[in-house]
Amino acid sequence: MRKIVIIGAVGGGATVAAQIRFYDKESAITVFDRDSTMSYAACGTPYAIGEAIENPKSLLMADPSSFKEKRDIQVLLKHEALEIKRSKKAVTIKNLATGETFDEPYDVLILATGGSAIIPDIDGLSSADVFVLRSYGDMEKIKQFINERKPQSCCISGAGFIGIEMAENLKELGIDVNLVHKSPHVMSILDEDMSALVKTELQANGVNVRTGVFVEKVDGTALTLSNGDTIEADFQIMSVGIKPNTELAEKAGLPIGETGGIVTNDFMQTADPSIYALGDSSENADLVTGAPKRIPLAWPAHRQAYLIARHLIGSAIPKNGLLGTSIAKVFSKTIAMTGLSETMIQESGLSYETVVHKGNSNAGYYPDHSRLTLKVHYHPETRKILGAQCFGGKGVDKRIDVIVTAMFAGLTVEDLQALELCYAPPYSSPKDPINMVGYKAVK
């Protein structure tokens, strides 16, 4: 009987375990995780803090007993993997509750080790109440602090997805928010003009956005910024980035790629064919350029789990490149993107042209409509779409989803004209914003 060991029991680890069991009823599957919870919806944690999700326990998708009962998968929490002994095909595990260590043999090892929040080295940071948000436990700590200490102000370092989502949810709780971002514009993966729209929406809702600066010194609740300004914050949230957890792989001699993730082949195998890696700690490839790419988001991890399961049962499906499709709620607006931004295109050395369409989400005479800005980059010769971004009210997600489908299918920007999309006044216009991009691209 084949022995499959999985390190990590959150999105990627729990999903790959379940996917393997769906196809393979015989193998013994054991999952280890150093945390005290498994298979939780990490993307929902900001909204549980802001009480948009009233019951935080609804984020818990499974527990060890249900995994054992329904799928015959053993999950051991508070167990940390210390070392991979490749020559012996075993992992050294430490029981964090008892301190006991033991070697767990494997035929197949899957690394779903995720990533850890980066905490910058800031003078005096230990004098303050500082949190990160990377786990269910982190969420519980933040909620407990807010409930017990009743803070009036917060400084969030980093205006990426977590930073922006936390800014909104803390404002919903009545907490004053300073959002400090080292780069010149928020959500640095966006084009500057689209970032400006996000910043405007944040400011319109009372978030004090400070770009091009960072926290340089901390003295309790007094924070000194790199430009010399000082602000007060009852607590801080660090969301400056994620470091992939690759220590196990590195110690085992598995190659780490230029993005910092574990190098994987078309079937998510590492350089050791008996060891797979997926999720935040794995390196993959960009669909447009083929260059190395690491996407710490939920969709890639879930897709990679399926690919590993199929490979293990001898019905392999090679992975495609990743686009990095992503979306975020910004108060009453939405920002979404896919593919390459303008900066990414320039760094890749590709030629490009751009179409920007500003219009309504649906018929302007219908009472429930909103404004959209849809921006699409494409190659001037092949006419293939390189990337897109959309900001506005309703309908942002479906426009980006259509662009994703077009890019995956290899359609040209002019092909967008011919897409026969749904139309009725509550939903779109006779010529959808997607169609308009296709028309506008014609010289």
Side-chain angles (χ1 to χ4, degrees), residues 53-101:
I53 297 171
E54 295 181 2
N55 179 14
K57 292 191 181 301
S58 67
L59 301 180
L60 298 173
M61 301 291 104
D63 57 52
S65 61
S66 67
F67 247 53
K68 182 65 177 175
E69 180 182 346
K70 295 178 181 179
R71 297 183 171 93
D72 191 25
I73 296 171
Q74 184 177 30
V75 180
L76 296 174
L77 300 178
K78 295 185 179 179
H79 281 69
E80 183 174 11
L82 301 179
E83 183 184 1
I84 302 169
K85 298 177 177 177
R86 289 171 57 189
S87 61
K88 297 181 178 180
K89 298 193 79 170
V91 186
T92 301
I93 303 291
K94 181 177 182 179
N95 183 327
L96 298 179
T98 66
E100 172 199 7
T101 62

Side-chain angles (χ1 to χ4, degrees), residues 285-307:
D286 188 279
L287 181 64
V288 177
T289 67
K293 195 180 189 83
R294 188 174 60 84
I295 302 293
L297 295 172
W299 188 93
H302 282 252
R303 176 62 178 170
Q304 292 157 7
Y306 175 74
L307 299 181

Side-chain angles (χ1 to χ4, degrees), residues 251-292:
K251 285 167 58 178
L254 300 175
I256 305 300
E258 62 184 74
T259 68
I262 305 166
V263 175
T264 59
N265 67 9
D266 283 348
F267 307 105
M268 305 310 299
Q269 287 172 300
T270 68
D272 184 329
S274 63
I275 302 178
Y276 296 74
L278 78 160
D280 294 4
S281 61
S282 68
E283 180 173 276
N284 297 272
D286 188 279
L287 181 64
V288 177
T289 67

Side-chain angles (χ1 to χ4, degrees), residues 76-264:
L76 296 174
L77 300 178
K78 295 185 179 179
H79 281 69
E80 183 174 11
L82 301 179
E83 183 184 1
I84 302 169
K85 298 177 177 177
R86 289 171 57 189
S87 61
K88 297 181 178 180
K89 298 193 79 170
V91 186
T92 301
I93 303 291
K94 181 177 182 179
N95 183 327
L96 298 179
T98 66
E100 172 199 7
T101 62
F102 58 93
D103 283 351
E104 182 78 6
Y106 66 84
D107 297 306
V108 175
L109 177 64
I110 301 172
L111 302 179
T113 48
S116 299
I118 296 171
I119 300 179
D121 184 13
I122 299 173
D123 183 20
L125 191 63
S126 61
S127 68
D129 291 299
V130 181
F131 302 91
V132 296
L133 184 57
R134 281 294 296 165
S135 69
Y136 190 87
D138 292 338
M139 177 202 70
E140 290 183 309
K141 290 175 185 176
I142 295 171
K143 284 186 68 68
Q144 182 179 6
F145 177 86
I146 291 172
N147 291 336
E148 293 179 358
R149 300 278 290 275
K150 311 295 183 187
Q152 299 300 304
S153 60
C154 178
C155 177
I156 301 172
S157 289
F161 289 97
I162 294 296
I164 284 176
E165 289 170 351
M166 281 305 302
E168 175 180 348
N169 280 283
L170 292 179
K171 286 296 296 183
E172 293 294 333
L173 296 177
I175 296 172
D176 291 333
V177 175
N178 276 287
L179 182 58
V180 176
H181 194 58
K182 188 174 182 179
S183 298
H185 56 283
V186 301
M187 295 193 76
S188 305
I189 60 172
L190 297 174
D191 295 345
E192 288 191 28
D193 54 342
M194 302 300 283
S195 168
L197 298 175
V198 175
K199 181 179 180 180
T200 298
E201 181 67 12
L202 290 166
Q203 292 172 323
N205 285 276
V207 178
N208 186 6
V209 182
R210 298 168 179 266
T211 54
V213 295
F214 56 92
V215 178
E216 192 169 64
K217 185 177 181 181
V218 176
D219 183 6
T221 60
L223 281 58
T224 303
L225 305 183
S226 56
N227 63 356
D229 289 351
T230 59
I231 57 177
E232 288 285 327
D234 293 334
F235 70 110
Q236 297 180 60
I237 291 176
M238 290 292 168
S239 60
V240 298
I242 298 168
K243 180 184 182 299
N245 294 329
T246 58
E247 295 84 359
L248 267 179
E250 290 182 65
K251 285 167 58 178
L254 300 175
I256 305 300
E258 62 184 74
T259 68
I262 305 166
V263 175
T264 59

Side-chain angles (χ1 to χ4, degrees), residues 301-321:
H302 282 252
R303 176 62 178 170
Q304 292 157 7
Y306 175 74
L307 299 181
I308 291 173
R310 291 295 297 260
H311 192 252
L312 288 175
I313 63 166
S315 182
I317 301 172
K319 69 184 178 185
N320 299 106

